[in-house]
């Protein structure tokens, strides 16, 4: 699954304007759901009665009261027929009806059948919810009773005798469920085409919602084959994981309905199932290996060719991965579909990948480069899963990090193959590695690997879907690939996929096959086994700071904590020491590779310097660690950046900034050292160093944008960015052309965003004039798509109700989802509190803001310093209702808590947060539990940091904020 909390590059840069993007109030979305679901909450009076076991009667010793399935029964195949009704019934409910036959083998004798079922009503047969029969010569005991156990989401069949080991059985059921708009299981999505409301039926099974669609053994290791049949209105189209067996036929008893039976799937997990009924249309091609590729979307989006970019890159990416994994694509087709309502960024259902519209559709006339990058990287992420995750599947959700971390790494490789001139692989450093280090440097972080017995409930499963799993997972796998070499890594990977196709594994199986690749050659020598090395990175949380003293060549490591006084309560078998691959440059020359072999300190002449020599470690930041130097070496690096910066690779120019700011936050180096590392930017033109500085200074903005520090800080940034602004103004011929490279396009956005938000008059005038031109002629938008996010935001921030209302009217009329995203985000930039309040209220009204967009909209409101307190108050007031109505299993709750607390830096805010925890202990926090502890820890660290650094930071910015003519100030716009 793609990261649901992803924000595009342009919107991410926009976040610099507003402070760090508060991945905010899923809350409002939750309230909307609560209101809508209440309408559909009543049980249909026509549905058959079921026996339900109440939570108060549970006996924990019984297997049906445990969240993990017993292994006495293993599924073999399913035959499922589903009929979604896309108009409400006489009770105002949207429903679906279905039948299911599951064939399973008995591994150990048992007198109970336990299978997952959630929110399904069963038609009784002779007083029971299911019918049971033997296969072949198997005799079958009679059913004693059937019951639904709601807390563990089971349908339980009690038998009067034992099922026999080694025998095959079939269980048949007839049921109906609600085709709700809750974005889970088999659900409905609605959209408008003109003034006509359209309804479609679609699915999202991961992680535990296939059981909401039909009774099933709903765990990833319970693999089986699936025979899916859909009955649906004849004017619509039906899709599933596999192609149809043959032409659709009319339903005999009602020719207004069609029946499509799909080919049997390979052996696969329930969470990867998908089926969709809609009037969507597609564009189509065939890959060289004859795989059918189709991109599905709303008919008007297809007609406007918004699916063509996805179509053009899918074939090359599929071919890249088939070669990279040395394994052909396992299915005959690859369908990808853009859905109007979808909770995650995308979902890797085998052969039928589902996406948010903004992650699959691209309009070259109105979409930005970052929109294009978003599409190609998400496609690469989901297509990588077709092998790694789908063909070979992790045995349980505790190893989710390997599945998502791997896809989050190789998405950059696949996207780089499709767009080789973009240097996309470099973006992993700012987008994943440094972003996740901010979380992993907390004492409340957690290891990548969690013991399986600690992950049982749907809420605990949802906790696995966090930035540690995705971004740290990606970062350590990238490091592993780097020190093994890509060839060895690919060899071990192919061996792993061949050995375990259509099976389930743990991460240790991958380590074993990588070790086999290492053992097959002699060129690459490791200081230990792959498992020995990687255990240090997966079984203990955090990462090391590597400290080098260039006078002596000594090198040491220590667990890096943003708050060095925080207490680490989680023990480590390795005492928080790592086996660390060290790459280095000495005075511009690459040195031999070195291993710090799990010891706290050692010495090597590689790191010893003479006179004018300088050393820099972690070349291109392929290692998952940060680096500190003696003061003299820092000074030499700063001098090098000022006089001859190109001797330091561009990623390392960014690293110097990232690492020093983190070290300063942890009180390891003075904050002035980190700030001094930004002085060279006045001459820097590359994206990565600028992005490092702006990202690092977001923390300063969050801590100080309500204090007297903020004025001098804005002055400094305005002085530093002016040469960059003038450089791009000149290079783009007064903003009429776009730079050729993607990185330059991103830095052009940085230049405008930073210049405008820090008060450069020329930039403010640019934003105001472009926006006014658009207001005067709404049918002709003069603002290039790359620049729209930042121009819209700055114009609305400078403006009043007139500018806000114009953008709101455009949002109501816009067809392209990428443009709608830009407008929705920019509307949160207003400096008028009453407008922010009004906008916040709109998120509770689905006729104004779509449910799937409410989260990102409130996210943008909370990013605004004026809007964050509104979001926090809302969370405190509504947590109980939201948690109960929306469910603790939604991993957006984790993002929510993290987002609305990011500015907390006072004792009062800490008390509020502690009181919030106390007030809601009886309710619980579900997937937000870890985030709450991290927020408490981070707030305490923020309080301490502000007390220690406010005065010195104020003095530094005051000293360095005098107006100094930039080296490009003589350039006139062309």
């Amino acid at each position: 699954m793609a990261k649901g909390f992803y924000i595009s590059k342009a919107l991410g840069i926009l976040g610099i304007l507003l402070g760090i993007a508060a991945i905010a109030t899923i809350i409002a979305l939750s309230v909307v759901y609560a209101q809508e679901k209440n309408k559909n909450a009543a049980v249909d009076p026509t549905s058959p009665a079921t026996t339900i076991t109440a939570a108060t009667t549970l006996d924990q010793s019984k297997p049906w009261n445990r969240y993990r399935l017993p292994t006495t029964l293993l599924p073999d195949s399913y035959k499922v027929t589903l009929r979604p009704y896309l108009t409400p019934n006489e009770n105002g409910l949207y429903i679906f009806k279905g039948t299911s036959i599951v064939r399973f083998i008995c591994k150990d004798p048992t007198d109970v059948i336990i299978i997952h079922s959630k929110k399904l009503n069963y038609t009784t047969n002779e007083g029971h919810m299911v019918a049971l029969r033997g296969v072949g010569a198997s005799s079958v005991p009679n059913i004693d009773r059937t019951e639904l156990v709601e807390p563990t989401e089971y349908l339980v069949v009690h038998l009067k005798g034992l099922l026999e080991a080694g025998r095959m059985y079939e269980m048949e059921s007839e049921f109906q469920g609600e085709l709700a708009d809750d974005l889970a299981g088999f659900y409905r999505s609605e959209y408008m085409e003109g003034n006509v409301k359209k309804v479609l039926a679609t699915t999202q099974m991961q992680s535990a919602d296939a059981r909401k669609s039909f009774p099933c053994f709903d765990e990833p290791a319970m693999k089986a084959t699936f025979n899916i049949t859909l009955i649906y209105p004849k004017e619509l189209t039906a899709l599933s994981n596999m192609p149809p067996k043959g032409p659709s036929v009319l339903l005999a008893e009602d020719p207004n309905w069609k029946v499509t039976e799909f080919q049997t799937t390979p052996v696969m997990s329930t969470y990867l199932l998908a089926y969709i009924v809609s009037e969507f249309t597609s564009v189509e091609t065939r890959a060289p290996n004859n795989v059918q590729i189709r991109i599905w979307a709303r008919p008007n989006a297809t007609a406007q060719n918004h699916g063509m970019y996805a179509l053009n890159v899918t074939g090359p990416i599929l071919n890249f991965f088939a070669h990279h994994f040395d394994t052909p694509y396992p299915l005959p087709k690859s369908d990808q579909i853009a859905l109007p309502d979808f909770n995650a960024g995308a979902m890797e259902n085998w052969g039928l990948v589902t996406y948010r519209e903004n992650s699959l559709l691209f309009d070259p006339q109105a979409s930005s480069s970052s929109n294009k990058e978003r599409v190609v990287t998400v496609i690469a992420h989901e297509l990588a899963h077709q092998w790694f995750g789908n063909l070979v599947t992790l045995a349980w959700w505790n190893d989710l990090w390997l599945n998502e971390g791997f896809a989050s790494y190789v998405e950059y490789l696949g996207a780089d193959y499709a767009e080789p001139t973009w240097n996309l692989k470099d973006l992993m450093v700012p987008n994943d590695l440094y972003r996740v280090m901010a979380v992993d440097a907390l004492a409340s972080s957690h290891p990548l690997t969690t013991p399986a017995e600690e992950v049982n409930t749907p809420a605990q499963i949802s906790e696995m879907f966090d930035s540690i799993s995705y971004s740290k997972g990606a970062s350590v796998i990238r490091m592993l690939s780097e020190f093994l070499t890509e060839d060895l890594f690919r060899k071990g990977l192919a061996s792993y996929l061949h050995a375990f196709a259509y099976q389930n594994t743990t991460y240790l199986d991958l380590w074993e096959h990588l070790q086999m690749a290492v053992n097959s050659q002699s060129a690459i020598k490791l200081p230990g086994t792959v498992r020995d090395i990687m255990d240090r990175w997966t079984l203990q949380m955090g990462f090391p700071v590597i400290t080098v003293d260039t006078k002596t060549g000594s090198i040491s490591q220590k667990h890096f904590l943003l708050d060095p006084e925080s207490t680490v309560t989680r023990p480590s078998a390795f005492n928080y020491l790592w086996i660390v691959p060290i790459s280095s440059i000495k005075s511009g020359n690459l040195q031999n590779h070195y291993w710090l072999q799990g010891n706290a300190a050692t010495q090597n002449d590689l790191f010893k310097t003479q006179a004018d020599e300088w050393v820099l470690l972690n070349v291109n930041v392929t290692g998952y660690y940060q680096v500190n130097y003696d003061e003299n070496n820092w000074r030499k690096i700063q001098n090098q950046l000022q006089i001859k910066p190109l001797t330091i690779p561009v990623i390392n120019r960014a690293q110097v900034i990232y690492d020093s700011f983190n070290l300063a936050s942890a009180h390891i180096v003075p904050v002035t050292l980190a700030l001094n590392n930004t002085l060279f930017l006045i001459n820097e033109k590359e994206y990565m160093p600028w992005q490092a500085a702006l990202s690092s200074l977001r923390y300063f903005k969050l801590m100080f944008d309500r204090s007297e520090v903020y004025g001098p800080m804005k002055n400094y940034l305005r002085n530093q960015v002016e040469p960059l602004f003038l450089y791009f103004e000149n290079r783009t011929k007064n903003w009429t052309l776009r730079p050729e490279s993607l990185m330059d396009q991103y830095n052009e956005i940085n230049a405008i965003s930073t210049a405008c938000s820090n008060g450069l008059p020329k930039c403010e005038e640019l934003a105001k004039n472009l926006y006014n031109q658009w207001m005067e002629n709404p049918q002709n938008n003069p603002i290039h798509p790359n620049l729209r996010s930042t121009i819209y935001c700055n114009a609305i921030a400078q403006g009043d109700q007139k500018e806000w209302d114009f953008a709101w009217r455009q949002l109501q009329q816009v067809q392209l989802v990428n443009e709608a995203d830009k407008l929705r985000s920019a509307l949160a930039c207003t400096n008028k509190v009453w407008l922010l309040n009004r906008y916040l209220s709109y998120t509770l009204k689905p006729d104004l803001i779509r449910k799937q967009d409410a989260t990102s909209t409130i996210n943008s409101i909370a990013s605004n310093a004026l809007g964050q307190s509104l979001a926090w108050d809302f969370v405190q007031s509504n947590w109980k209702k939201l948690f109960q109505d929306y469910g603790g299993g939604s991993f957006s709750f984790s993002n929510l808590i993290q987002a609305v607390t990011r500015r907390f830096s006072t004792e009062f805010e800490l008390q509020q947060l502690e009181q919030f925890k106390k007030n809601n202990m009886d309710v619980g926090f579900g997937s937000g539990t870890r985030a709450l502890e991290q927020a408490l820890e981070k707030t305490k660290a923020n309080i301490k940091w502000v007390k220690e650094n406010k005065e010195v930071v104020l003095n530094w910015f005051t000293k360095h904020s005098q107006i100094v003519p930039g080296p490009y100030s003589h350039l006139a716009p062309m």
Side-chain angles (χ1 to χ4, degrees):
M1 189 192 301
K3 292 174 275 245
F5 44 82
Y6 175 92
I7 55 173
S8 71
K9 300 298 175 299
L11 295 184
I13 291 163
L14 179 58
I16 298 162
L17 271 172
L18 299 171
I20 209 138
I23 304 173
T25 337
I26 185 92
I27 304 310
L29 178 59
S30 311
V31 170
V32 174
Y33 283 164
Q35 294 167 345
E36 290 298 305
K37 284 167 72 68
N38 285 341
K39 299 175 187 174
N40 285 352
V43 175
D44 186 344
T46 64
S47 65
T50 57
T51 303
I52 299 174
T53 300
T56 53
T57 65
L58 291 180
D59 178 354
Q60 293 298 314
S61 68
K62 304 297 185 186
W64 50 85
N65 295 333
R66 302 177 200 139
Y67 283 94
R68 293 297 304 276
L69 285 167
T71 55
T72 49
L73 306 175
L74 297 179
D76 174 76
S77 63
Y78 295 82
K79 186 174 183 179
V80 179
T81 300
L82 294 166
R83 183 177 185 174
Y85 291 80
L86 300 183
T87 54
N89 65 11
E90 64 275 13
N91 300 305
L93 286 170
Y94 290 86
I95 66 165
F96 64 90
K97 295 181 179 179
T99 61
S100 170
I101 300 172
V102 55
R103 177 176 289 196
F104 54 86
I105 189 168
C106 178
K107 303 299 287 185
D108 297 296
T110 181
D111 61 358
V112 65
I113 300 169
I114 300 173
I115 191 168
H116 284 109
S117 176
K118 180 180 180 182
K119 298 183 179 178
L120 297 175
N121 294 322
Y122 290 85
T123 301
T124 53
N125 179 8
E126 298 181 359
H128 303 304
M129 287 180 256
V130 302
L132 185 64
R133 55 182 173 263
V135 176
S138 301
S139 59
V140 62
N142 291 329
I143 296 173
D144 180 36
R145 71 186 194 280
T146 56
E147 63 173 325
L148 294 171
V149 183
E150 285 192 340
T152 47
E153 299 175 349
Y154 286 139
L155 164 61
V156 182
V157 182
H158 299 273
L159 304 173
K160 292 182 177 178
L162 291 172
L163 299 176
E164 296 180 47
R167 300 283 191 177
M168 195 82 75
Y169 300 89
E170 285 185 348
M171 189 171 76
E172 185 169 1
S173 59
E174 183 180 344
F175 50 87
Q176 77 173 44
E178 185 187 348
L179 197 68
D181 59 350
D182 57 0
L183 310 182
F186 198 20
Y187 71 92
R188 80 177 187 276
S189 173
E190 300 174 357
Y191 63 98
M192 299 299 294
E193 198 165 86
N195 294 318
V196 180
K197 183 172 85 169
K198 303 286 186 176
V199 181
L200 61 91
T202 185
T203 54
Q204 170 60 27
M205 305 306 196
Q206 193 182 44
S207 49
D209 282 312
R211 65 194 69 175
K212 197 165 165 278
S213 180
F214 64 96
C216 54
F217 297 93
D218 198 12
E219 293 188 357
M222 294 286 187
K223 287 190 170 186
T225 60
F226 296 84
N227 300 273
I228 303 295
T229 300
L230 294 177
I231 305 171
Y232 54 98
K234 67 179 182 181
E235 67 277 9
L236 302 182
T237 299
L239 300 171
S240 189
N241 303 82
M242 298 296 287
K245 277 188 175 178
S248 303
V249 298
L250 295 178
L251 186 65
E253 57 266 35
D254 187 346
N256 290 314
W257 293 74
K258 251 190 325 196
V259 182
T260 298
E261 185 178 355
F262 295 92
Q263 294 175 19
T264 304
T265 70
V267 174
M268 62 182 283
S269 302
T270 49
Y271 80 88
L272 296 168
L273 283 171
Y275 22 87
I276 299 171
V277 173
S278 73
E279 63 172 33
F280 282 14
T281 55
S282 66
V283 289
E284 179 176 349
T285 188
R286 283 202 175 263
N289 57 0
N290 209 34
V291 172
Q292 180 189 41
I293 297 170
R294 295 181 296 187
I295 309 297
W296 295 85
R298 291 175 290 107
N300 67 348
T302 301
Q304 294 175 58
N305 292 321
H306 293 172
M308 290 307 297
Y309 178 66
L311 187 73
N312 292 336
V313 298
T314 294
I317 291 171
L318 280 174
N319 290 338
F320 170 79
F321 284 133
H323 174 71
H324 194 77
F325 301 144
D326 190 26
T327 304
Y329 177 70
L331 300 180
K333 74 171 178 78
S334 173
D335 279 325
Q336 298 176 94
I337 187 166
L339 296 169
D341 289 303
F342 193 67
N343 203 12
M347 177 62 211
E348 65 265 21
N349 316 299
W350 218 1
L352 177 53
V353 184
T354 46
Y355 295 81
R356 277 197 178 201
E357 288 188 332
N358 65 4
S359 298
L360 188 67
L361 304 182
F362 177 78
D363 177 2
Q365 302 306 313
S367 298
S368 66
S369 298
S370 63
N371 298 139
K372 198 172 189 179
E373 186 219 318
R374 168 71 173 163
V375 169
V376 72
T377 52
V378 175
I379 288 175
H381 181 105
E382 304 309 326
L383 294 183
H385 275 311
Q386 306 299 297
W387 288 265
F388 202 99
N390 298 8
L391 180 65
V392 179
T393 310
L394 279 305
W396 185 238
W397 300 109
N398 63 305
D399 278 340
L400 177 86
W401 73 269
L402 185 55
N403 193 26
E404 294 298 350
F406 180 86
S408 297
Y409 166 54
V410 299
E411 73 180 50
Y412 289 97
L413 308 186
D416 180 71
Y417 181 80
E419 296 289 359
T421 65
W422 287 6
N423 295 325
L424 286 174
K425 288 190 278 192
D426 293 352
L427 289 176
M428 188 174 164
V429 173
N431 293 355
D432 285 281
L433 185 142
Y434 279 112
R435 189 172 289 173
V436 75
M437 278 181 163
V439 175
D440 206 23
L442 300 176
S444 52
S445 185
H446 62 93
L448 280 169
T449 295
T450 303
E453 60 272 14
E454 292 182 17
V455 183
N456 295 295
T457 69
Q460 288 168 340
I461 294 169
S462 290
E463 278 191 53
M464 297 295 102
F465 290 82
D466 67 357
S467 60
I468 296 289
S469 291
Y470 282 80
S471 296
K472 181 178 182 178
S475 300
V476 299
I477 290 168
R478 172 176 173 258
M479 177 175 68
L480 170 61
S481 176
E482 183 70 20
F483 71 68
L484 287 179
T485 72
E486 188 173 316
D487 284 345
L488 264 191
F489 184 74
R490 285 171 50 193
K491 183 177 180 181
L493 191 58
S495 170
Y496 167 83
L497 290 170
H498 296 161
F500 296 106
Y502 306 104
Q503 298 176 56
N504 295 82
T505 63
T506 73
Y507 71 96
L508 294 176
D509 296 310
L510 178 59
W511 294 170
E512 182 181 339
H513 281 264
L514 291 172
Q515 187 62 47
M516 287 161 55
V518 172
N519 294 345
S520 70
Q521 53 81 60
S522 57
I524 302 299
K525 296 190 184 330
L526 301 180
T529 66
V530 171
R531 179 175 178 176
D532 287 342
I533 296 167
M534 294 308 294
D535 275 355
R536 310 274 182 135
W537 299 95
T538 62
L539 299 182
Q540 57 184 357
M541 68 180 188
F543 57 89
V545 53
I546 304 299
T547 299
V548 173
D549 185 337
T550 57
K551 292 188 293 295
T552 63
S554 71
I555 181 169
S556 61
Q557 63 166 304
K558 186 179 181 182
H559 183 193
F560 179 77
L561 293 167
L562 277 174
D563 180 0
E565 295 179 19
S566 59
T567 303
V568 177
T569 57
R570 186 184 294 271
S572 166
F574 309 104
N575 296 314
Y576 289 102
L577 293 171
W578 288 261
I579 300 176
V580 189
I582 306 284
S583 55
S584 62
I585 292 172
K586 183 176 284 186
S587 298
N589 299 311
L590 191 64
Q591 301 199 100
N592 290 334
H593 195 275
Y594 178 80
W595 283 96
L596 185 56
Q597 297 190 26
N599 39 347
T602 184
Q603 187 276 339
N604 193 283
D605 286 348
L606 287 171
F607 313 116
K608 190 175 181 179
T609 60
Q610 309 293 327
D612 296 332
E613 289 182 326
W614 51 271
V615 167
L616 188 142
L617 270 62
N618 203 7
V619 180
N620 292 325
V621 196
T622 55
Y624 186 69
Y625 55 88
Q626 299 195 6
V627 186
N628 184 28
Y629 307 97
D630 57 278
E631 186 179 347
N632 192 38
N633 196 64
W634 273 120
R635 197 174 294 113
K636 290 176 182 177
I637 291 172
Q638 289 168 352
N639 186 55
Q640 195 70 21
L641 288 169
Q642 294 275 13
I643 61 170
K644 204 172 180 183
L646 297 184
T647 56
I648 297 176
V650 64
I651 297 180
N652 290 98
R653 301 205 296 276
Q655 174 213 18
V656 165
I657 295 172
Y658 279 123
D659 284 8
S660 61
F661 272 88
N662 286 323
L663 293 165
S665 295
H667 316 283
I668 294 172
V669 302
V671 70
T672 50
L673 184 150
L675 290 168
N676 286 338
N677 283 350
T678 68
L679 290 169
F680 79 95
L681 291 174
I682 200 161
N683 297 313
E684 179 63 75
K685 301 298 176 288
E686 294 286 348
Y687 168 72
M688 297 272 285
W690 265 104
Q691 185 60 22
L694 296 173
S695 175
S696 298
L697 287 169
R698 282 179 200 169
Y699 180 69
F700 284 64
K701 177 176 169 55
L702 289 171
M703 294 302 100
F704 297 131
D705 65 2
R706 298 170 287 180
S707 78
E708 68 273 25
V709 177
Y710 197 44
M713 178 179 169
K714 288 179 70 172
N715 291 340
Y716 172 71
L717 283 171
R718 185 171 61 245
N719 293 345
Q720 289 293 91
V721 82
E722 185 175 11
L724 187 70
F725 180 85
L726 296 173
Y727 167 79
F728 279 113
E729 181 183 58
N730 179 57
R731 186 172 167 187
T732 61
K733 300 192 184 304
N734 203 21
W735 315 107
T736 59
L737 304 173
R738 294 285 70 75
E740 287 183 14
S741 82
L742 184 73
M743 296 298 177
D744 283 347
Q745 290 177 31
Y746 284 170
N747 216 27
E748 177 191 29
I749 300 165
N750 269 344
I752 296 174
S753 176
T754 308
C756 280
S757 61
N758 290 289
L760 187 69
K762 204 169 188 181
C763 185
E764 292 177 331
E765 197 65 24
L766 170 71
K768 185 177 178 181
N769 289 343
L770 284 171
Y771 196 80
N772 284 341
Q773 288 176 41
W774 187 29
M775 289 177 68
E776 289 165 8
N777 185 4
Q779 303 309 311
N780 182 25
N781 189 338
I783 308 165
H784 188 276
N786 280 11
L787 308 184
R788 286 180 185 175
S789 288
T790 191
I791 296 296
Y792 293 172
C793 179
N794 282 285
I796 289 170
Q798 291 180 63
D800 209 323
Q801 183 178 356
K802 180 176 70 169
E803 286 77 11
W804 198 98
D805 286 347
F806 173 77
W808 176 255
R809 287 194 301 274
Q810 296 303 308
L811 178 60
Q812 305 316 297
Q813 300 164 18
V814 72
Q815 293 294 312
L816 183 68
V817 67
N818 290 328
E819 179 68 4
D821 289 343
K822 295 178 178 71
L823 287 163
R824 246 193 325 273
S825 181
L827 285 163
C829 296
T830 180
N831 287 316
K832 308 295 183 227
V833 172
W834 73 271
L835 283 173
L836 288 172
N837 265 316
R838 184 175 77 175
Y839 194 25
L840 189 60
S841 73
Y842 286 1
T843 64
L844 302 176
K845 301 171 183 175
D847 56 327
L848 296 178
I849 300 288
R850 292 186 71 87
K851 288 183 181 180
Q852 74 159 25
D853 296 324
T855 305
S856 60
T857 303
I858 304 167
N859 176 13
S860 299
I861 294 169
S863 299
N864 189 327
L866 295 174
Q868 180 161 346
S869 61
L870 305 177
W872 171 233
D873 290 345
F874 193 87
V875 171
Q876 294 180 88
S877 303
N878 294 280
W879 184 264
K880 183 172 183 179
K881 178 174 174 56
L882 297 166
F883 190 84
Q884 289 173 345
D885 290 350
Y886 195 71
S890 168
F891 53 85
S892 295
F893 276 88
S894 174
N895 300 330
L896 162 67
I897 290 173
Q898 185 184 29
V900 296
T901 60
R902 276 193 175 126
R903 272 190 176 86
F904 284 11
S905 58
T906 66
E907 292 291 344
F908 175 70
E909 287 163 330
L910 177 61
Q911 289 166 15
Q912 279 193 314
L913 191 54
E914 289 171 334
Q915 191 64 44
F916 170 69
K917 178 182 178 181
K918 183 179 176 182
N919 291 348
N920 293 285
M921 288 298 286
D922 59 325
V923 180
F925 303 96
S927 60
T929 304
R930 284 174 173 166
L932 180 60
E933 294 307 315
Q934 290 167 353
L936 285 162
E937 182 185 352
K938 194 74 171 77
T939 301
K940 292 172 186 173
N942 291 346
I943 292 168
K944 188 185 304 180
W945 188 86
V946 168
K947 282 179 182 175
E948 292 175 355
N949 291 289
K950 183 177 179 180
E951 186 176 348
V952 69
V953 169
L954 174 61
N955 291 338
W956 192 94
F957 278 125
T958 302
K959 176 183 175 183
H960 291 88
S961 62
Q962 287 84 9
I963 303 297
V964 179
Y968 292 89
S969 57
H970 63 284
L971 293 176
M974 298 175 68

